[in-house]
């Protein structure tokens, strides 16, 4: 057992699966169907970045990432946006004090369910319909998670619903009604706030300090968390969790695999290490998680950049430094 695990008396066993591009090239499937049920027997899942230069985009994402998110009912996608001291942000005059919020993205519904149809495909009268599917139950469990998270985080106690009520008059009507009903009845201590998604993008850049916890649907959550990742220092440091609070959760760096750097030992491992921090926190190993965060903070203080090839050290060296700092 490595020292780092001994320090917190964490006993663990790992099992590695070869799901991904190489497996797909050999077998024609990135992950067998049986995997979803098999993975239910584990306590947690640590997922590497996904993507392979020889595999058509979409295959791995659908065949692994989305299949697991849906199959394991990981209905929350939790994405902290936190700028650490000494990490460069493109936002002028803003620092760690201003950039520190969390996005709770719904992870099983909305535009991601694949519902829709073509009409008159291939003709000049073609129509393509993509359905945003929102159930009261699905929206409610996400909102409740966000309220609870905001309460537990205990910072500004403000939950912002990010939506588009002025245009998405069905989907966000449901979201908005449920948001206020639940908040009013069960979370009177949490301040409820609303922002249209376009305005939220503006605030991310202009006044990121406005946000404490954000809750939003799957598609908007996908989009705004890439912007969030950029203001916290880039994809090299952005981690996220796909959470089923009643089941098996999965933690990942939120960016892809950057295949042009394969084998060069130059990419930033901090996003993956941050995902491990979230994994431990989710397992209730909060002290161990906090230790990893402290080690990340110490490590970034010695790095000139978060970008691949510009970190002033190799991938391995960054990893070794974090481990040593733990
Ligand atoms: C993400 C990714 C995925 C998503 C893709 C790879 C399907 O962009 O995790 O944000 O859209 O959710
Ligand atoms: Mn995304």
């Amino acid at each position: 057992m490595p020292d780092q695990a001994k320090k917190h008396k964490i006993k663990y066993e790992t099992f590695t699966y070869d799901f991904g591009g190489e497996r797909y090239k050999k077998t024609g499937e990135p992950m067998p169907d049986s995997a979803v049920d098999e993975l239910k027997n584990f306590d947690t899942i640590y997922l590497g970045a996904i993507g392979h230069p020889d595999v058509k985009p979409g295959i791995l994402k659908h065949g692994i990432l989305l299949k697991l998110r849906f199959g394991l009912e990981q209905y929350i996608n939790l994405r902290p946006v936190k700028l650490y001291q000494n990490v460069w942000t493109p936002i002028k005059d803003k620092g760690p004090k201003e950039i520190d919020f969390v996005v709770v993205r719904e992870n099983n519904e909305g535009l991601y369910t694949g519902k829709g149809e073509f009409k008159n495909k291939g003709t000049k009268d073609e129509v393509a319909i993509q359905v945003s599917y929102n159930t009261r139950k699905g929206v409610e469990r996400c909102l409740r998670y966000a309220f609870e998270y905001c309460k537990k985080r205990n910072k500004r106690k403000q939950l912002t619903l990010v939506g588009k009520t002025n245009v998405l008059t069905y989907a966000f009507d449901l979201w908005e009604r449920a948001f206020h009903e639940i908040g009013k009845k069960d979370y009177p201590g949490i301040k409820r706030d609303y922002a249209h998604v376009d305005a939220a993008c503006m605030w991310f850049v202009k006044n990121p300090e406005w946000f404490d916890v954000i809750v939003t649907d799957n598609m908007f959550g996908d989009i705004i968390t890439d912007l969030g990742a950029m203001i916290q220092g880039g994809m090299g440091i952005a981690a996220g969790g796909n959470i089923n609070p009643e089941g098996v959760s999965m933690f990942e760096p939120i960016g892809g695999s950057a295949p042009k750097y394969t084998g060069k030992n130059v990419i930033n491992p901090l996003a993956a290490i941050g995902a491990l921090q979230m994994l431990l926190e989710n397992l209730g190993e909060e002290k161990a998680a906090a230790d990893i965060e402290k080690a990340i903070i110490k490590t970034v203080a010695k790095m000139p950049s978060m970008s691949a090839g510009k970190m002033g050290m190799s991938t391995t060296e960054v990893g070794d430094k974090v481990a040593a700092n733990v």
Side-chain angles (χ1 to χ4, degrees):
M1 198 192 297
D3 292 336
Q4 290 80 2
K6 260 191 219 148
K7 180 172 173 190
H8 290 279
K9 302 198 172 57
I10 300 171
K11 266 201 197 154
Y12 69 91
E13 256 179 275
T14 59
F15 190 88
T16 305
Y17 287 95
D18 66 348
F19 307 153
E22 286 301 322
R23 181 180 210 281
Y24 175 76
K25 279 168 65 187
K26 268 184 255 145
T27 68
E29 53 176 15
M31 178 179 91
D33 284 334
S34 58
V36 173
D37 275 331
E38 212 176 305
L39 286 166
K40 287 181 183 158
N41 298 317
F42 289 85
D43 293 318
T44 190
I45 303 166
Y46 191 35
L47 182 73
I50 283 191
H52 194 294
D54 308 336
V55 179
K56 226 174 86 200
I59 290 181
L60 301 178
K61 279 146 198 185
H62 278 274
I64 301 174
L65 187 60
L66 295 179
K67 207 166 170 174
L68 290 176
R69 284 180 184 170
F70 280 79
L72 295 171
E73 240 185 287
Q74 294 162 339
Y75 59 84
I76 298 296
N77 195 323
L78 190 66
R79 298 189 161 179
V81 176
K82 188 169 180 180
L83 178 70
Y84 293 127
Q85 202 69 49
N86 190 54
V87 173
W88 181 80
T89 175
I91 310 297
K92 197 166 171 277
D93 302 330
K94 303 288 177 188
K97 244 181 62 213
E98 288 85 17
I99 300 175
D100 182 6
F101 59 90
V102 177
V103 179
V104 176
R105 163 187 174 189
E106 201 290 323
N107 213 27
N108 280 174
E109 296 194 340
L111 281 164
Y112 278 69
T113 60
K115 292 187 203 305
E117 62 176 310
F118 291 114
K119 286 182 177 157
N120 309 319
K121 192 173 179 184
T123 73
K124 64 178 177 7
D125 294 319
E126 178 162 354
V127 180
I129 301 170
Q130 195 86 40
V131 173
S132 173
Y133 187 81
N134 300 267
T135 66
R136 171 74 198 208
K137 284 198 183 90
V139 169
E140 179 152 350
R141 65 185 180 178
C142 177
L143 288 169
R144 286 193 181 277
Y145 183 92
F147 275 113
E148 280 297 329
Y149 190 90
C150 189
K151 193 168 146 186
K152 188 164 170 229
R153 177 170 152 95
N154 198 20
K155 289 227 160 121
R156 286 182 34 233
K157 297 209 176 156
Q158 171 186 278
L159 182 62
T160 304
L161 172 66
V162 166
K164 192 73 185 174
T165 50
N166 52 353
V167 175
L168 305 180
T169 50
Y170 299 106
F172 275 96
D173 188 89
L174 167 55
W175 274 88
E176 196 179 33
R177 268 183 289 120
F179 179 62
H180 291 298
E181 277 169 29
I182 296 166
K184 199 168 164 190
K185 183 162 170 283
D186 296 331
Y187 299 93
I190 304 290
K191 190 176 151 238
R192 273 167 280 138
D193 173 49
Y194 173 81
H196 290 319
V197 64
D198 47 351
C201 289
M202 183 177 82
W203 296 125
F204 270 29
V205 173
K206 192 167 179 285
N207 293 103
E209 66 275 13
W210 177 258
F211 298 109
D212 177 18
V213 179
I214 288 173
V215 62
T216 190
D217 82 350
N218 210 342
M219 188 81 258
F220 290 159
D222 175 49
I223 298 166
I224 65 172
T225 54
D226 266 27
L227 181 54
M230 281 304 123
I231 69 171
Q232 75 177 122
M235 288 303 188
I237 193 162
N242 303 278
I243 296 173
N244 176 345
E246 296 87 35
V248 185
S249 302
M250 175 169 79
F251 299 83
E252 53 168 343
I254 83 170
S257 64
K260 68 176 174 184
Y261 298 119
T262 302
K264 300 206 163 114
N265 201 20
V266 293
I267 64 114
N268 193 338
L270 288 175
I273 296 171
L276 182 69
Q277 173 201 328
M278 293 183 74
L279 178 154
L280 286 168
E281 199 174 314
N282 191 257
L283 288 177
E285 299 291 348
E286 273 149 7
K287 282 198 185 124
D291 254 12
I292 294 186
E293 183 171 37
K294 273 188 232 142
I296 292 174
I297 291 170
K298 268 197 190 165
T299 306
V300 297
K302 302 262 155 58
M303 295 167 66
S305 164
M306 293 299 113
S307 306
K310 298 180 186 148
M311 304 186 295
M313 36 184 143
S314 66
T315 305
T316 327
E317 281 166 341
V318 175
D320 289 346
K321 264 218 156 52
V322 176
N325 286 332
V326 167

